[in-house]
């Protein structure tokens, strides 16, 4: 407890919490079945005249840290729901499900608890896997899909090439860093202009605050990913209109993965490649990202 008083990351976490409250959202913890509980930021009062949007975060930190630039702008036009995926934030399960399909099924159960029957899904990175499955599994509920920086078309070779770029042996060493050097590597691959002067104590604070909790379960999630494995069935083509948004300099999922996905989906998919951005364009250039996504979601 005393260490939190001197934690810059904990201070930032509290500021993000207040910013979500200021955006008209409130945190709720829902038991979606007998085994699984999801933490979600949701509208304090749903506006029946607004469409619903679900923001699905990627691997690494919780929903607040990844979607803070979007909640207030999107809240003007949409009912915004921002869940923590399983084993992130306060979301947890006693069940054995670990795949991105399980994550999608859990989000759908959560939305039904909120009375949401129609929505668009926006997923970044690992969250894009989940959003894609939501679109496949629930075409009657999912109106549009936004896939941001997410290698839905990845294969085993892509993981090997990522580890070569990182200079590491395991994907978990990169996505769940335990050392300051590994966190610097993740930032180098994820950001177009990574900060160069962050001291080790700040990076270690970040690791302690955001990467230690549920580490074993998160490693199970990485092993449980279906897309891109030998067990994966052929990737279905989504029936919904799809927006693909990518950072031109992404080194986690290079832009070639965006081109593959566009080719796979065909004419109903629109691809936008953002310049001067890497794996997190929604954070690196939120104004442009928000404008692109909102235009897509609101157009008839």
């Amino acid at each position: 407890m005393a260490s939190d008083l001197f934690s810059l990351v904990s201070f930032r976490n509290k500021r993000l919490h207040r910013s979500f409250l200021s955006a008209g959202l409130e945190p709720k913890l829902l038991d979606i079945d007998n085994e699984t509980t999801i933490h979600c930021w949701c509208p304090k009062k749903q506006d029946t005249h607004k469409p619903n949007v679900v923001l699905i975060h990627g691997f690494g930190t919780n929903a607040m840290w990844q979607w803070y630039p979007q909640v207030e702008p999107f809240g003007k036009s949409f009912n915004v729901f921002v869940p923590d995926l399983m084993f992130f934030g306060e979301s947890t399960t006693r069940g054995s499900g670990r795949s991105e399909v399980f994550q999608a099924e859990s989000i759908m159960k959560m939305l039904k608890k909120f009375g949401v029957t129609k929505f668009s899904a926006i997923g970044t990175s690992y969250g894009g896997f989940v959003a894609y499955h939501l679109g496949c599994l629930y075409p009657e509920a999912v109106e549009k899909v936004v896939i941001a920086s997410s290698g839905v078309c990845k294969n085993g070779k892509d993981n090997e090439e990522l580890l070569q770029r990182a200079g590491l042996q395991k994907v978990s060493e990169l996505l769940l860093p335990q050392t300051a050097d590994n966190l610097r590597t993740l930032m180098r691959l994820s950001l177009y202009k990574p900060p160069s002067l962050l001291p080790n104590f700040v990076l270690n604070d970040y690791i302690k605050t955001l990467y230690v909790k549920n580490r074993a379960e998160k490693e199970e999630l990485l092993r449980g990913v279906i897309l891109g494995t030998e067990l994966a069935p052929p990737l279905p083509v989504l029936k919904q209109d799809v927006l693909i948004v990518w950072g031109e300099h992404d080194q986690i999922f290079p832009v070639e993965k965006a081109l593959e996905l566009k080719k796979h989906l065909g004419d109903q998919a629109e691809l936008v490649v953002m310049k001067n951005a890497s794996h997190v364009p929604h954070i690196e250039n939120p104004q442009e990202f928000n404008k692109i996504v909102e235009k897509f979601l609101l157009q008839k």
Side-chain angles (χ1 to χ4, degrees):
M1 183 71 177
S3 62
D4 286 348
L5 298 175
F6 304 99
S7 169
L8 295 174
V9 180
S10 294
F11 176 73
R12 173 66 171 163
N13 205 57
K14 292 174 183 177
R15 290 196 63 181
L16 291 176
H17 189 277
R18 289 196 294 269
S19 73
F20 272 56
L21 293 174
S22 298
L25 302 181
E26 61 180 355
K28 287 195 175 182
L29 204 59
L30 288 86
D31 293 325
I32 62 169
D33 56 36
N34 293 331
E35 297 181 318
T36 302
T37 300
I38 290 187
H39 175 270
C40 182
W41 287 93
C42 58
K44 294 176 182 177
K45 184 177 181 180
Q46 293 184 43
D47 185 339
T48 57
H49 296 96
K50 290 181 179 180
N52 302 308
V53 166
V54 182
L55 305 179
I56 309 173
H57 67 83
F59 217 89
T61 59
N62 59 40
M64 279 197 311
W65 282 78
Q66 295 198 22
W67 291 117
Y68 66 88
Q70 279 68 53
V71 288
E72 182 176 358
F74 284 177
K76 297 173 183 177
S77 302
F78 308 99
N79 294 311
V80 179
F81 296 84
V82 196
D84 284 317
L85 292 173
M86 213 55 57
F87 299 119
F88 294 90
E90 300 303 318
S91 297
T92 187
T93 184
R94 297 188 301 276
S96 59
R98 295 294 185 270
S99 72
E100 69 275 28
V101 174
F102 171 70
Q103 300 272 22
E105 292 170 342
S106 298
I107 288 178
M108 193 67 219
K109 290 180 181 179
M110 177 202 76
L111 291 169
K112 288 180 179 178
K113 290 276 187 177
F114 284 121
V116 173
T117 58
K118 297 284 186 180
F119 64 94
S120 292
I122 305 175
T124 181
S125 196
Y126 175 76
F129 300 175
V130 179
Y132 201 95
H133 283 297
L134 275 168
C136 293
L137 293 171
Y138 310 105
E140 74 289 347
V142 180
E143 297 176 306
K144 293 186 178 183
V145 179
V146 179
I147 303 295
S149 310
S150 181
V152 175
C153 291
K154 76 182 186 73
N155 54 49
K157 184 180 178 182
D158 292 316
N159 284 343
E160 295 174 6
E161 293 177 349
L162 172 59
L163 290 174
Q164 289 176 2
R165 292 192 292 273
L168 296 172
Q169 298 298 313
K170 299 178 181 179
V171 173
S172 60
E173 292 177 324
L174 177 66
L175 299 184
L176 296 170
Q178 292 182 291
T179 68
D181 284 344
N182 284 5
L183 182 51
R184 283 194 180 90
T185 298
L186 178 60
M187 295 169 69
R188 171 176 61 83
L189 296 176
S190 301
L191 300 171
Y192 177 58
K193 293 183 178 180
S196 57
L197 299 176
L198 286 178
N200 280 1
F201 79 88
V202 173
L203 297 175
N204 287 327
D205 181 24
Y206 195 98
I207 291 169
K208 178 182 177 182
T209 307
L210 298 173
Y211 286 101
V212 171
K213 184 178 179 181
N214 295 332
R215 178 182 173 83
E217 290 82 359
K218 290 174 183 175
E219 288 184 345
E220 292 173 1
L221 291 178
L222 287 175
R223 293 193 293 270
V225 170
I226 296 173
L227 288 174
T229 69
E230 294 180 355
L231 299 176
L235 187 68
V237 175
L238 292 178
K239 297 179 180 178
Q240 300 89 345
D241 288 338
V242 180
L243 173 65
I244 306 167
V245 187
W246 227 269
E248 182 181 25
H249 303 279
D250 194 339
Q251 296 187 71
I252 301 294
F253 294 123
V255 72
E256 288 77 15
K257 295 287 105 181
L259 300 174
E260 286 183 30
L261 183 57
K262 172 67 174 75
K263 181 179 180 180
H264 177 75
L265 292 174
D267 292 340
Q268 86 259 29
E270 174 186 355
L271 171 61
V272 177
V273 178
M274 293 177 56
K275 296 184 179 298
N276 302 324
S278 182
H279 189 60
V280 287
H282 62 292
I283 294 175
E284 295 175 289
N285 190 344
Q287 292 82 7
E288 181 181 353
F289 179 90
N290 295 349
K291 182 179 179 181
I292 292 167
V293 171
E294 185 168 1
K295 179 182 177 183
F296 168 75
L297 293 179
L298 291 177
Q299 68 188 8
K300 301 298 183 180

